[in-house]
Amino acid sequence: MTMTEPLLSIGDLAVSYRTASGVVPALRAVNLDVHSGEIMALVGESGSGKSTLAHAVLGLLPRGGSLDGGSLRFEGTELSTLPERALRAVRGAGIALVPQDPVMSLDPVKKVGDQVAEVLLIHGIEGRRGARAAAAELLARAGIDHPESRAGQYPHELSGGLRQRVLIAIALAARPRLIIADEPTSALDVTVQQRILDHLHELAAASNTAILLVTHDLGVAADRAQRVAVMSKGRIVEQGGSRSLLAAPAHDYTRGLLAAAPSLTGLRLRPEREGTEPLVEATGLVKTFTSRSRSSRRDISAVDDVSLRIPKGTTLALVGESGSGKSTTARLLLGLERPRAGTVSFGGTDVTSARGERLRALRGRMQLIYQNPYASLNPRHSVGTIVAEPLRAFGIGNRSEREARARDALDAVTLGSSMARRRPAELSGGQRQRVAIARALVLRPEFVVCDEPVSALDVSVQARILELLVRVQEEFGLTYLFISHDLAVVRQIADQVVVMRAGKVEEAGSASEVLGAPRSAYTRQLLAAIPGRRVGEEVR
């Protein structure tokens, strides 16, 4: 390979999937070059072919996937014809993948430090004695605090953001020449996202490493990539320099993506509300967890004297970094965890003292949209069965009525009733998240906790889901607790904002006050880390 040749060259690549309904084209004549030391962003909606392209490069297409034609050249070597043994030598050392979902990618019965060290051992970079220390150093480089103790934990003991950072540490381990980062920061809060992307940028500059950044976040693409390629329906419809493409997109599809990006538009979806009568009130909540190891035991304060009030028909956004106590606070409000101290009131009923049928009746009026659709959807059930599950659990309607309501819920989240027969494995990440949202809304509850409900969605679907949440709130008078690390999204829909840090409330107030004129330096730091904020101001 000469100095002028690209590190990775993709020519007329075609990929299809064999399904029960026939062969479905996934990539159609894709051409893309990635050069050493550059960051190339690949953007597009869910199902556009971004992840298929990433997996095709590494020879990791799922069952039913077929490479139908075209060329994949890395450092002058054609990857598509390499035998599996030679291709395994390229993976990790030559090309590394940061996968989208840490739950599916990390071994649940192996400590995370051992999983990082395994890469070092496989490629002969460290011996067994040095691999453990090197693994802790890699975890630190990926932005993980207390890396030595974290290395001894299992994936289920870490937050979603920490698990994602473990995947990044694994990818960095063998110092690859190309990193394919498939939505590497979608589960991360903005400050950690900023640190990770800073690190990837520094790596590309210092070691001439190339990065193919697969993302639905146009703000990230605008901030980080020198060039951007836009995918739609398996084709690259437009590519060019990031600033020039975002400032003057030539294709209608690209213009639509830009109009839907919250960090680039800064538009609210409805006027801010104050509200009067509270539906949910929490006073002085305290929750601690005990962390045990062979040599020590320590209490970790997850929630420390947290009080909040959510008026009926309004949206309170709970923001902060991973591990700040947001999700634990939500579980306390729903009665899924019991506080060490403090009380929760729902519609005048004390949730913290409720037991048995009384608690079950309360839970029928509350629903949770989970952060991770991969872990929360039963892979053996059809989509229609999954969405109808809450109706069966609470004895609502007969079978045909439940099926009809499930189809209506799928239509409402823009999936269509035809999806009811599919299984989760046949859906993209964004489609699975919409199934999770449909399941939460099918009971028509009074209070919905939205735990990062749009973090896995591309911007256009994200915009539709947020509009849906606002419309459903208007129609049924719903009250939302909206947990998010994306302050650009929070700005669009929140009436109140509570900023959490290390289990405590750092700042609280109306959305316009907290996001427009924050008092806390920490809040200002979160706002400054919003990807694409500066570019968005230029575009507007």
Side-chain angles (χ1 to χ4, degrees), residues 401-473:
E401 290 169 341
R402 291 194 292 266
E403 288 177 350
R405 279 184 63 167
R407 288 194 297 269
D408 289 343
L410 290 170
D411 285 334
V413 297
T414 69
L415 278 178
S417 56
S418 62
M419 288 283 187
R421 295 182 180 179
R422 295 195 185 184
R423 300 199 186 281
E426 300 177 75
L427 307 181
S428 68
Q431 288 170 330
R432 293 184 206 193
Q433 189 73 311
R434 281 181 275 171
V435 172
I437 292 171
R439 180 179 58 186
L441 296 178
V442 75
L443 275 178
R444 297 172 187 169
E446 298 171 56
F447 179 51
V448 178
V449 173
C450 308
D451 191 356
E452 301 279 7
V454 295
S455 64
L457 304 182
D458 58 77
V459 289
S460 55
V461 177
Q462 180 184 87
R464 292 198 292 270
I465 292 299
L466 292 173
E467 289 167 0
L468 168 69
L469 291 173
V470 169
R471 177 172 59 78
V472 171
Q473 185 177 41

Side-chain angles (χ1 to χ4, degrees), residues 12-34:
D12 291 326
L13 186 66
V15 171
S16 63
Y17 290 108
R18 187 173 298 279
T19 69
S21 56
V23 176
V24 178
L27 298 179
R28 308 164 189 257
V30 171
N31 293 281
L32 185 70
D33 289 340
V34 182

Side-chain angles (χ1 to χ4, degrees), residues 381-409:
H381 289 173
S382 69
V383 165
T385 300
I386 289 168
V387 174
E389 181 182 3
L391 299 172
R392 289 196 308 276
F394 284 91
I396 297 173
N398 57 36
R399 182 175 178 178
S400 62
E401 290 169 341
R402 291 194 292 266
E403 288 177 350
R405 279 184 63 167
R407 288 194 297 269
D408 289 343

Side-chain angles (χ1 to χ4, degrees), residues 262-445:
S263 61
L264 299 177
T265 61
L267 301 176
R268 280 192 63 86
L269 294 178
R270 63 165 176 77
E272 190 177 296
R273 296 173 178 170
E274 289 186 10
T276 53
E277 183 182 355
L279 179 67
V280 180
E281 283 190 281
T283 306
L285 291 180
V286 175
K287 181 68 178 179
T288 58
F289 295 98
T290 301
S291 175
R292 294 182 176 88
S293 66
R294 292 179 179 176
S295 58
S296 65
R297 166 183 167 168
R298 65 189 181 102
D299 288 334
I300 299 172
S301 178
V303 174
D304 187 0
D305 193 25
V306 169
S307 299
L308 52 84
R309 178 178 180 273
I310 313 177
K312 286 183 178 179
T314 68
T315 299
L316 183 144
L318 204 56
V319 303
E321 296 178 290
S322 297
S324 62
K326 305 187 302 295
S327 293
T328 301
T329 298
R331 292 179 65 81
L332 292 170
L333 297 181
L334 293 170
L336 299 175
E337 296 278 357
R338 298 207 174 273
R340 182 175 178 179
T343 60
V344 175
S345 171
F346 178 77
T349 301
D350 185 359
V351 176
T352 49
S353 64
R355 300 288 190 279
E357 286 302 316
R358 185 162 163 247
L359 181 58
R360 178 175 168 77
L362 282 173
R363 285 178 176 164
R365 300 161 63 190
M366 311 172 180
Q367 284 294 297
L368 172 62
I369 299 172
Y370 291 92
Q371 180 177 4
N372 193 309
Y374 294 88
S376 64
L377 303 183
N378 191 324
R380 296 185 177 183
H381 289 173
S382 69
V383 165
T385 300
I386 289 168
V387 174
E389 181 182 3
L391 299 172
R392 289 196 308 276
F394 284 91
I396 297 173
N398 57 36
R399 182 175 178 178
S400 62
E401 290 169 341
R402 291 194 292 266
E403 288 177 350
R405 279 184 63 167
R407 288 194 297 269
D408 289 343
L410 290 170
D411 285 334
V413 297
T414 69
L415 278 178
S417 56
S418 62
M419 288 283 187
R421 295 182 180 179
R422 295 195 185 184
R423 300 199 186 281
E426 300 177 75
L427 307 181
S428 68
Q431 288 170 330
R432 293 184 206 193
Q433 189 73 311
R434 281 181 275 171
V435 172
I437 292 171
R439 180 179 58 186
L441 296 178
V442 75
L443 275 178
R444 297 172 187 169

